[in-house]
Amino acid sequence: MNAIGFYHLCGINPSVLYGTAFSDFFSVFSGAWSRITKAVETADRYGLGVLIGRFSSFFSIGVSYDEDRKDLHAAPGKQNKDAHSGTSDPPTFFRNRRNRDHTTEILCTLVKALKAHADSFQPPLVNLIGIELLNEPDPPSDPNLQDWYMSTIKALRQIDNHIPLYLGECWRTDQYADFAKTKASPSLLILDHHLYRCFTTSDISTPVHGHIRALSESSAPTPQMFARVIEKLGRAGGGLVVGEWSGALNPGSLTGKHGEQGDYIRTQLELYEKCCGWFFWTYKKQWAGDTGWSLCDSVGSGVFPDRVGLHRKREIVIDEEQRLLKRDREKDRALGKLLCLA
């Protein structure tokens, strides 16, 4: 995975650095944009769609089968208190209007540059599948975030009226589905839900079979929430993606039984197939062997299926001579029945 941040856009617009913790590092990051566009071009050659956005600490490149994921993780001022949001400073994104306005300006810079790059080709590149506005925001109240979402969506629509926009939903999926479905939009609005079951005290104390039941039984809260939200958004022309998930469980949840991690992964896949899409976190780690977090290791060890979703069946080779012989036999048999009836 490669990691880049909003500061990597400074080569096309130096003002993205103004007033941020990266203002003195133009010379370090100014050459990054050409590498970003090269990655988009490479993805296009291989038939990969590109999802860009998710302001937080890094802009990562990952592959999820037919999509190439580029994620900008860090917004100016930090949108949550976590370490992956860019700096070790306290979050001020929602306290400081300038940070929010600056993030909107950065997203506009990004969309303008991507549109210009795509249109510079004949025919234009068409593998940009969306822009995500903010990764795992933690607002003091939903209206604070939703107001920013609406003003930013309006600004981006003036640049590109068709590109799908992805919204982080703060793990309040029902509430943000209600918000998204009431907002008229000429193109897709998609909620990004992240699902892990290995961090909280409750996760750690729940055995793997408990996690599997919680994700597979139709009466359980999570499958019910998925069903509600998918219906709400579908009626509004939107959708739900699982933007982050993994096969990782806390050791306290595992029993050592053969295949239990694979069962947990397959249970998640069955649930997520009902959505617009999903992204496993992550494609490949620096060190090999982590079947919970590394897709390459998970597939290689047989924990993760080597094929998922719809796929083309093996082509059937037809022997034309045998086909004609069979046709003639069936024709003769049908004619024989008619003669008997006569």
Side-chain angles (χ1 to χ4, degrees):
M1 306 226 16
N2 296 324
I4 68 174
F6 70 86
Y7 31 85
H8 289 90
L9 304 181
C10 66
I12 52 173
N13 184 354
S15 71
V16 301
L17 300 181
Y18 297 170
T20 75
F22 301 92
S23 58
D24 295 332
F25 298 102
F26 174 83
S27 62
V28 176
F29 300 116
S30 58
W33 181 248
S34 62
R35 293 169 173 83
I36 297 170
T37 54
K38 184 64 67 176
V40 174
E41 295 167 28
T42 301
D44 182 72
R45 288 200 302 273
Y46 286 94
L48 298 174
V50 178
L51 169 61
I52 297 184
R54 302 194 48 222
F55 276 93
S56 170
S57 68
F58 56 87
F59 179 165
S60 62
I61 300 175
V63 176
S64 180
Y65 292 94
D66 62 347
E67 294 177 358
D68 180 25
R69 176 168 190 171
K70 301 188 172 7
D71 271 6
L72 246 117
H73 260 51
K78 297 183 62 175
Q79 73 278 16
N80 62 48
K81 64 180 182 300
D82 296 324
H84 58 63
S85 287
T87 72
S88 57
D89 297 329
T92 61
F93 179 85
F94 292 103
R95 296 204 309 267
N96 187 327
R97 182 179 179 85
R98 186 190 181 284
N99 286 331
R100 298 192 299 278
D101 291 344
H102 191 38
T103 300
T104 301
E105 293 166 2
I106 292 169
L107 283 165
C108 288
T109 294
L110 177 65
V111 172
K112 287 177 183 176
L114 288 168
K115 189 174 188 300
H117 177 256
D119 291 345
S120 69
F121 288 79
Q122 289 297 330
L125 299 180
V126 293
N127 64 322
L128 184 61
I129 64 170
I131 300 290
E132 183 155 5
L133 306 191
L134 206 62
N135 177 68
E136 297 185 353
D138 185 18
S141 70
D142 289 331
N144 287 100
L145 176 59
Q146 291 170 359
D147 288 347
W148 180 81
Y149 272 159
M150 289 309 303
S151 62
T152 302
I153 289 170
K154 181 178 179 180
L156 296 178
R157 290 288 181 238
Q158 292 174 352
I159 301 167
D160 188 329
N161 205 32
H162 303 289
I163 188 169
L165 298 178
Y166 291 65
L167 310 179
E169 37 71 284
C170 313
W171 291 281
R172 293 190 287 278
T173 318
D174 272 303
Q175 292 89 324
Y176 280 82
D178 291 335
F179 163 76
K181 76 176 185 179
T182 62
K183 306 305 174 186
S185 176
S187 63
L188 285 174
L189 283 179
I190 302 171
L191 293 189
D192 174 23
H193 178 67
H194 298 175
L195 196 153
Y196 297 114
R197 291 294 182 264
C198 57
F199 294 124
T200 69
T201 301
S202 175
D203 291 340
I204 296 169
S205 62
T206 302
V208 60
H209 56 79
H211 286 300
I212 290 173
R213 285 199 305 271
L215 296 175
S216 61
E217 294 182 354
S218 59
S219 60
T222 298
Q224 287 193 338
M225 180 273 286
F226 269 63
R228 284 193 309 272
V229 168
I230 290 168
E231 181 178 5
K232 288 179 186 179
L233 294 174
R235 290 179 181 275
L240 175 71
V241 300
V242 180
E244 290 186 23
W245 68 282
S246 78
L249 289 169
N250 187 277
S253 296
L254 298 171
T255 66
K257 181 181 177 181
H258 176 72
E260 60 186 1
Q261 188 181 37
D263 291 342
Y264 174 62
I265 287 175
R266 284 187 291 275
T267 297
Q268 291 186 86
L269 286 170
E270 290 175 7
L271 178 61
Y272 305 157
E273 282 298 314
K274 301 171 185 176
C275 302
C276 293
W278 50 262
F279 294 90
F280 189 91
W281 190 267
T282 188
Y283 174 66
K284 184 179 181 181
K285 292 180 66 175
Q286 181 177 6
W287 308 111
D290 191 336
T291 58
W293 293 100
S294 169
L295 181 65
C296 288
D297 290 310
S298 186
V299 173
S301 66
V303 172
F304 196 105
D306 58 0
R307 301 184 76 170
V308 296
L310 299 175
H311 56 84
R312 185 172 60 185
K313 292 183 178 180
R314 182 180 298 175
E315 184 177 350
I316 300 174
V317 178
I318 299 176
D319 186 320
E320 185 65 13
E321 183 177 354
Q322 290 297 319
R323 186 187 70 82
L324 293 174
L325 287 172
K326 182 177 180 181
R327 182 200 65 182
D328 292 341
R329 285 197 301 269
E330 294 297 327
K331 182 176 67 174
D332 292 343
R333 186 170 65 177
L335 287 172
K337 290 180 179 179
L338 288 174
L339 290 172
C340 290
L341 290 172

